[in-house]
Amino acid sequence: MFIQHASSETLTTRLDASFYKPLGLKTHKKILSFGNYFELSEIVNPSRPITNGVRGPSLEPSKYHLVRLQDCQNWVVRFDSCLTISEQQFKENKRCKLKVGDIVVAIGGYVGNASIVSEEQDAVIGQHSAVLSANSTVFDSHFLVAYLNTSLAENTFQRYVSGTVQAGINLEDLRSIIVPLPLSMGVQTYIGNKVRQAELLTVWAKQLLSQANNEFEESILWDSRVVKKVKFGRISCSKLENRLDHRFNSIEKFKAIGLLVENNIKLEQLENVYGITAMVGWKGLTTAHYVDDGPWLLRGVEFSDGVIDFDNLVMVERDKYLEQPQIHLKEGDVALSKDGTIGKAIVIPKINREFAVGSTIARLRQIDETLDPYYLEHCLNHDFLQVQVESYATGVAQPHITQEWIAKLLIPRIANEQEISSLIYKHHLAMNLAKALTNSSKWLVEALIEGQITENQLIEAQQALEEGDNSKDRAILSKLSDKGYLAENGKPLFTDLDKLYELLDEAKAAVDANEESV
């Protein structure tokens, strides 16, 4: 409930109260005070106006991608997860065909979330998103995607959301939304380059993960055909244990284990190399014990692809945290999801806060120092372990694997474990720095609009970088924390700027070399 006195100057044709919420009006005034602002319809390519996507997709195997909201992750459109549609439907919807530099923005679901198209593909968008066509003469697409992911843009989009069952924003309103746009391309380029650097690190991280996987599979003489689902098979009585359910006795598990045994790969049970602790419930822990500041609680939804989403971790009362020392986390532990989406694993990085796993996660702690946690993580996420996890799981609606069966998972021991560990560690480092860079871009946009940093400072930093001098860039990045630019009580966003520049150079060299070899 709120009461807002709106002057006649702020009134529009909209008469719904939510349009005049104080936060929305405050944000609108900030954008107006910035000076340079334009409606979205004014800045996109005039030959490709803002439009929405395909309704009622005709799905079939093809080269024509359908980009849905779930295919837009970490500000980038991911084509490898897309569904595909018929050639006829693709041609009928060329109005929403994507090109490099276009921005896909959600107009349903998480309204306003934006991602950039970074590679050329035959692709169109789904009905719950819209495409903002690239127009390099007016704006830097990477700058615009940074702005669209700021809290300022989120507040603006929320003013225009309507509907109850399916909340969203219509195209007419989307086209009229105003965005602040620095007239200097140097400013846009400087901030946009942070997003481009994040893309570079992400591409490199993908290469590192692929290299680690190739080395692992070559070492165990892996054949992916063994885990291909089959309708039936035979299992000898000698292999049967005290569970007779079909899932436990999956043909795929026995074939996968049999392959490595045949290849003379040493297999070691997880319980012999890592201690395993997990909780079923947590002494009455409920959402009532969640607090605004306290020890972190890790659940399965907050980590993927080597990155823990620290921004969205819940925090619990310290007294509740202290009740369960056996599930406290420290650097080098491995978290393994055991409920819901089971079998996801991640190494816990260096942290400066009390941290524990929730009831859906098992904590794995090193006993055998020869088994590096990053190698273990890669094993757990590979099909060889995933097929074991799946076979040991119980439950239908909510799959679950108990501590007893986690302990029996078989880990391949190979000569090049350390090389694989190093690749996975560097993958995680690159992915986490990529996230930090995208965060830096949106916070710099907010700082610019709030007047905390000037256009001249950003222009000078960009010019210095082009001349090989990163001192001004360092000065700006050093003022960023996990709470924003010049924010109080925040932790540095970049703890080692030397390492950041070093990895960016390494990533560029690796990506360029890979492109030349293709």
Side-chain angles (χ1 to χ4, degrees), residues 12-23:
T12 69
T13 55
R14 295 285 294 262
L15 297 179
D16 47 315
S18 60
F19 189 76
Y20 299 98
K21 284 184 177 180
L23 183 59

Side-chain angles (χ1 to χ4, degrees), residues 166-449:
Q166 182 66 48
I169 182 171
N170 62 55
L171 283 179
E172 182 181 354
D173 285 338
L174 178 65
R175 292 170 182 140
S176 67
I177 286 179
I178 60 172
V179 295
L181 208 59
L183 293 179
S184 168
M185 288 304 293
V187 173
Q188 294 189 42
T189 300
Y190 177 78
I191 294 177
N193 277 348
K194 303 307 175 199
V195 184
R196 277 181 278 269
Q197 289 170 344
E199 287 181 0
L200 173 67
L201 289 174
T202 303
V203 171
W204 182 45
K206 189 175 180 180
Q207 291 179 11
L208 292 168
L209 184 59
S210 178
Q211 183 182 346
N213 199 54
N214 289 340
E215 289 193 19
F216 177 72
E217 293 189 349
E218 287 174 7
S219 296
I220 64 174
L221 304 176
W222 182 246
D223 183 347
S224 61
R225 292 174 296 182
V226 298
V227 292
K228 185 178 180 181
K229 294 289 184 182
V230 294
K231 293 182 179 179
F232 60 88
R234 295 180 182 275
I235 302 170
S236 66
C237 293
S238 62
K239 293 182 179 179
L240 295 177
E241 296 187 43
N242 60 350
R243 277 178 58 180
L244 298 178
D245 55 287
H246 176 266
R247 174 187 282 170
F248 178 78
N249 294 293
S250 78
I251 301 300
E252 297 79 29
K253 178 186 73 174
F254 286 117
K255 286 169 68 175
I257 294 172
L259 174 68
L260 268 67
V261 170
E262 184 181 323
N263 292 336
N264 295 316
I265 305 300
K266 179 184 176 182
L267 298 175
E268 194 154 23
Q269 282 196 340
L270 181 58
E271 65 182 345
N272 295 330
V273 286
Y274 271 67
I276 305 157
T277 51
M279 296 297 297
V280 180
W282 189 353
K283 292 188 177 181
L285 179 72
T286 68
T287 55
H289 297 105
Y290 291 175
V291 293
D292 293 331
D293 189 22
W296 278 326
L297 182 68
L298 182 66
R299 303 167 299 176
V301 295
E302 290 116 355
F303 64 90
S304 65
D305 204 17
V307 177
I308 296 174
D309 186 4
F310 291 102
D311 297 334
N312 288 311
L313 290 175
V314 298
M315 290 169 276
V316 296
E317 295 173 353
R318 192 162 189 273
D319 288 345
K320 296 299 291 182
Y321 166 82
L322 292 173
E323 287 178 358
Q324 304 290 342
Q326 71 272 34
I327 55 172
H328 293 178
L329 290 167
K330 67 178 184 179
E331 181 181 3
D333 287 345
V334 178
L336 177 70
S337 59
K338 64 183 184 67
D339 290 280
T341 305
I342 59 174
K344 286 171 54 183
I346 192 167
V347 176
I348 303 303
K350 184 177 181 179
I351 45 179
N352 296 307
R353 190 174 191 144
E354 292 174 324
F355 203 4
V357 296
S359 61
T360 62
I361 303 292
R363 186 197 74 183
L364 315 180
R365 179 161 288 177
Q366 192 178 48
I367 297 174
D368 183 348
E369 293 185 359
T370 67
L371 184 60
D372 189 280
Y374 287 95
Y375 172 73
L376 175 59
E377 180 202 310
H378 186 68
C379 288
L380 290 168
N381 288 325
H382 187 270
D383 284 347
F384 176 68
L385 265 297
Q386 288 294 301
V387 76
Q388 295 180 57
V389 169
E390 184 179 345
S391 76
Y392 291 145
T394 57
V396 180
Q398 181 78 1
H400 170 77
I401 181 170
T402 65
Q403 187 174 333
E404 171 194 2
W405 293 109
I406 293 173
K408 294 181 181 296
L409 295 173
L410 297 175
I411 310 300
R413 303 307 306 268
I414 55 179
N416 59 337
E417 290 177 6
Q418 196 54 53
E419 289 85 349
I420 293 169
S421 297
S422 297
L423 290 167
I424 298 301
Y425 170 75
K426 195 167 282 189
H427 166 273
H428 290 11
L429 194 56
M431 290 299 295
N432 280 281
L433 282 173
K435 183 180 179 183
L437 283 164
T438 55
N439 281 339
S440 75
S441 69
K442 69 179 182 180
W443 286 330
L444 287 172
V445 173
E446 291 176 356
L448 181 64
I449 296 169

